[in-house]
Amino acid sequence: MDPTTDALSLLLGALKEHPRGMSVSDLAAAVGINRNTVSRYLDVLLVSGQVEMETYGKAKVFYLSQRVPIAAMLNFSSDLVLVLDRDRRIVQANDAVCTFAGRERDEIIGNDIETSPLAAFDHPLIRSRITDALNGREVTEELRFLRLDKELFFRIKFIPTVFNDGAPGVTIILENITEGRRAEEALRESEMLFRNLVENISDLILNVNEACTFTYVSPKSQEILGYTPEEMLQKTPCDFMPPEKVDRVREQFAELFADPKPGVLFEWTMLHRDGSPVILEVSGTPVYDMIGDFTGYRVVCRDVTERAHAAKRVAQWKSFLYSVVNNIPSMVFVREVEENTFVFSNKAAETFLGMTQEEMGGKRATDLFPPEMVTFFADGDRDLLERTVALEEKAHLASGRTISMKKIPIFNSRGMLKYMLGIAEDVTDRAAAEDLLIAERDRAQGYLEAAGVMIAVIGADGTIDLVNRKGSEILGYTEGGLAGKNWFGTVVPERLRDRLAQNFQRLVAGRIEPPPFEESPVVTRDGRERPMLWHNALLRDADGNVVAMVSSGEEIVE
């Protein structure tokens, strides 16, 4: 047996029998060893923590340590703890090491690291740091290990250690920081994702503290407002707003800070660097610190300038259309199909029906229109749906008035019939004028047909607009058979065609006037020529432009 170990055991035994403590002289007498040797052994026991010492004046009293044995303490730790001697052999391993290696402690202790179940830790850097610790230098490193399909991270401390016999050793503490490292990586990925999201979304992100100053401004500020984030930090929203908008925004913030609410929506008008107004749709969310105290708002701003301008233009256009519809002479009604009630009418309709738009609202056709108009405006939705085009009809009222009616289907975004647009117009005077015009036209047509001469109307482009019945008989065509044909290519002999066509163009251009009478043959359908004596007259529009030539021709009998 080692004499040193025997001596240490004798000293520990004597101290155990004297729990109140013993001096160096008492111990030397009790174990039969000289004082100097006892003092040296006591130093070893002090360093190893097996004994403790107290001083009383010049006397030193030693007694057994009341601390927990180091081996037991090591097992309390969740870290992996190894103790190596000067030859790098494992002399102590805690329970965490055994669990990690999946081996019994006896299979680990007494082996070198490279030949033990912990050979995964046989790394050049670890070997180097063990040497440093044996030389008295404490070192900490972080290393990555691959274990099967797992990636593990450890923070490793190499601590110089002294054994009971004064021999140097190394205590290695391996702290598994994998979860922390993964959390850090996840945090970095999350931060990178958030940064990429903030930098690439079209919205401007702002953090506003309780002093109403910006503590964060996303890079989108330069695109939307023309300012860099650095230029906006520590300034307030009001610093970038028209003066007339400032008071309202301050009131908004006062309300928000007094009673923080999530998802608040409002609108800001901020000024771009170039002075142009930028309209922002703003959504605010309260921000709280780790202990739950309110610290400000995170504000998401969307540039809706174009949308606001478009909405304003639409509103202006709607107002214009409403003004037009409301003031046209025709009567306009809108009926909601599902409820079969009227929801709109213009001023002309109010005048015709003798009630205001508000009085007409919610009423049915039977409540509004004369009996002659009720059926048209109340029924026929199925026909309207099937045709998808306007239906027209005339109503002759008992008062003698004639009303022209039209109804037009209006569909919703799903293609369902939603409204019926009705338009009505008093056409009594127009109908009378049309009847008179038809009568005049028929009378004129009768005169043409009764005439004993050929009459033709030739358009400015040489096209035949009309040939009367006598002309059709002379030329051998059915009545109306010449309409739309070219006069010179159909009726004029070929030898005269070019010259007469050129003369006609000069007449249309106003460069010459037609002679009072002119002899010129025509070609019948069967190719025979028949001599004619013509009288020509030009028809002009309101501006004096020639639009047609009327020619009356009488056949020359030889």
Side-chain angles (χ1 to χ4, degrees):
M1 184 176 292
D2 187 355
T4 301
T5 303
D6 291 343
L8 294 175
S9 299
L10 289 173
L11 291 172
L12 291 172
L15 289 172
K16 186 175 181 181
E17 293 176 1
H18 298 79
R20 298 178 64 87
M22 300 174 70
S23 65
V24 175
S25 299
D26 294 337
L27 284 168
V31 299
I33 301 174
N34 64 63
R35 285 172 51 87
N36 293 335
T37 302
V38 169
S39 295
R40 187 170 68 252
Y41 287 152
L42 287 172
D43 288 340
V44 172
L45 293 174
L46 280 171
V47 170
S48 65
Q50 296 181 73
V51 300
E52 296 180 7
M53 180 190 74
E54 289 187 8
T55 302
Y56 297 94
K58 293 183 179 181
K60 296 180 179 178
V61 178
F62 296 86
Y63 51 89
L64 286 177
S65 173
Q66 302 300 309
R67 290 175 290 181
V68 178
I70 186 66
M73 292 183 64
L74 294 179
N75 288 328
F76 293 153
S77 175
S78 60
D79 296 337
L80 281 65
V81 181
L82 292 169
V83 180
L84 279 59
D85 63 15
R86 67 171 65 182
D87 297 322
R88 303 172 188 265
R89 285 192 303 269
I90 302 171
V91 297
Q92 185 60 266
N94 70 346
D95 291 345
V97 171
C98 299
T99 301
F100 179 81
R103 300 294 184 88
E104 295 295 330
R105 186 175 282 104
D106 292 342
E107 298 178 75
I108 298 173
I109 293 177
N111 295 308
D112 298 332
I113 289 182
E114 59 267 24
T115 60
S116 73
L118 301 172
F121 294 104
D122 183 28
H123 187 279
L125 180 61
I126 291 180
R127 290 197 294 269
S128 173
R129 295 297 177 256
I130 291 174
T131 300
D132 292 337
L134 286 171
N135 292 328
R137 188 162 66 92
E138 183 175 326
V139 185
T140 301
E141 295 284 356
E142 288 190 7
L143 292 178
R144 178 177 69 95
F145 294 92
L146 293 177
R147 187 184 188 196
L148 298 179
D149 59 342
K150 295 181 179 179
E151 186 180 42
L152 302 176
F153 294 88
F154 287 92
R155 180 179 292 113
I156 308 177
K157 291 183 178 180
F158 301 86
I159 304 172
T161 304
V162 179
F163 294 104
N164 291 348
D165 60 0
V170 179
T171 299
I172 303 176
I173 303 175
L174 297 95
E175 179 187 0
N176 191 336
I177 59 172
T178 304
E179 292 301 322
R181 181 64 64 87
R182 288 175 180 167
E184 290 175 2
E185 291 180 355
L187 179 60
R188 282 195 297 270
E189 291 177 0
S190 177
E191 288 176 347
M192 184 176 297
L193 178 63
F194 175 75
R195 186 180 301 110
N196 289 335
L197 178 64
V198 168
E199 290 178 356
N200 290 285
I201 61 174
S202 58
D203 296 338
L204 171 63
I205 311 297
L206 305 168
N207 280 3
V208 184
N209 64 14
E210 290 181 282
C212 205
T213 59
F214 295 129
T215 58
Y216 173 80
V217 179
S218 70
K220 209 67 178 180
S221 62
Q222 191 153 13
E223 180 179 330
I224 295 177
L225 297 174
Y227 294 98
T228 65
E230 294 73 21
E231 291 176 301
M232 296 184 66
L233 287 174
Q234 303 308 316
K235 294 184 179 180
T236 72
C238 298
D239 293 331
F240 300 91
M241 291 184 175
E244 64 273 14
K245 302 288 185 180
V246 168
D247 289 342
R248 176 57 187 150
V249 172
R250 285 177 177 161
E251 291 174 3
Q252 287 176 338
F253 271 115
E255 295 172 3
L256 293 176
F257 288 155
D259 183 19
K261 296 178 181 177
V264 292
L265 289 171
F266 42 90
E267 188 177 279
W268 282 351
T269 299
M270 302 185 79
L271 294 177
H272 192 276
R273 182 186 287 275
D274 62 12
S276 60
V278 178
I279 301 174
L280 300 175
E281 182 181 75
V282 180
S283 172
T285 303
V287 177
Y288 299 88
D289 61 18
M290 294 182 65
I291 61 175
D293 289 339
F294 172 72
T295 60
Y297 269 88
R298 177 168 294 113
V299 179
V300 179
C301 306
R302 175 161 296 178
D303 185 354
V304 295
T305 306
E306 287 301 319
R307 188 176 76 186
H309 290 168
K312 185 176 181 180
R313 289 192 295 268
V314 169
Q316 291 172 340
W317 183 246
K318 284 184 177 180
S319 176
F320 169 74
L321 291 179
Y322 178 82
S323 176
V324 170
V325 170
N326 205 37
N327 290 284
I328 60 175
S330 298
M331 294 170 273
V332 178
F333 312 92
V334 177
R335 174 168 59 86
E336 204 276 324
V337 172
E338 185 175 354
E339 297 296 329
N340 199 23
T341 57
F342 285 82
V343 295
F344 175 79
S345 58
N346 68 348
K347 290 181 179 179
E350 292 178 345
T351 301
F352 176 77
L353 296 175
M355 61 179 69
T356 66
Q357 180 177 338
E358 288 74 19
E359 293 171 333
M360 284 186 273
K363 288 185 168 55
R364 298 175 178 267
T366 52
D367 303 323
L368 299 175
F369 298 105
E372 298 85 353
M373 299 173 64
V374 168
T375 301
F376 182 79
F377 282 123
D379 301 326
D381 290 340
R382 183 181 299 275
D383 295 338
L384 197 63
L385 181 61
E386 292 175 353
R387 295 182 58 179
T388 67
V389 294
L391 293 176
E392 297 187 47
E393 191 175 297
K394 285 186 179 179
H396 300 284
L397 305 185
S399 62
R401 311 300 295 177
T402 300
I403 306 297
S404 174
M405 303 176 295
K406 180 187 294 185
K407 58 184 179 181
I408 303 166
I410 299 177
F411 300 91
N412 62 18
S413 58
R414 299 188 301 275
M416 305 294 292
L417 182 61
K418 180 68 175 176
Y419 299 104
M420 184 280 297
L421 172 64
I423 301 175
E425 185 178 1
D426 188 338
V427 295
T428 305
D429 296 337
R430 185 195 305 169
E434 288 176 354
D435 292 342
L436 180 60
L437 182 61
I438 291 171
E440 292 293 335
R441 182 199 64 191
D442 293 343
R443 187 180 299 113
Q445 186 67 31
Y447 292 155
L448 290 174
E449 301 305 334
V453 297
M454 175 180 177
I455 297 176
V457 180
I458 305 166
D461 60 354
T463 300
I464 300 172
D465 291 336
L466 180 145
V467 173
N468 70 344
R469 184 180 301 162
K470 180 65 175 179
S472 298
E473 291 175 358
I474 293 173
L475 296 171
Y477 289 88
T478 59
E479 190 172 349
L482 285 167
K485 297 181 182 296
N486 184 274
W487 173 266
F488 300 97
T490 306
V491 176
V492 177
E494 185 175 356
R495 69 181 187 278
L496 303 174
R497 191 171 296 160
D498 291 341
R499 180 172 63 82
L500 294 181
Q502 291 175 3
N503 287 342
F504 180 75
Q505 292 302 321
R506 292 168 67 193
L507 288 171
V508 171
R511 292 197 293 269
I512 60 173
E513 291 292 329
F517 294 96
E518 180 181 11
E519 289 187 18
S520 179
V522 294
V523 178
T524 64
R525 188 171 186 176
D526 58 9
R528 293 182 296 114
E529 288 190 14
R530 302 182 71 165
M532 301 289 295
L533 178 63
W534 296 98
H535 173 70
N536 302 309
L538 299 177
L539 296 179
R540 300 177 185 273
D541 61 16
D543 297 325
N545 299 314
V546 176
V547 295
M549 182 175 72
V550 179
S551 298
S552 62
E554 183 177 357
E555 188 173 8
I556 300 174
V557 180
E558 298 179 354

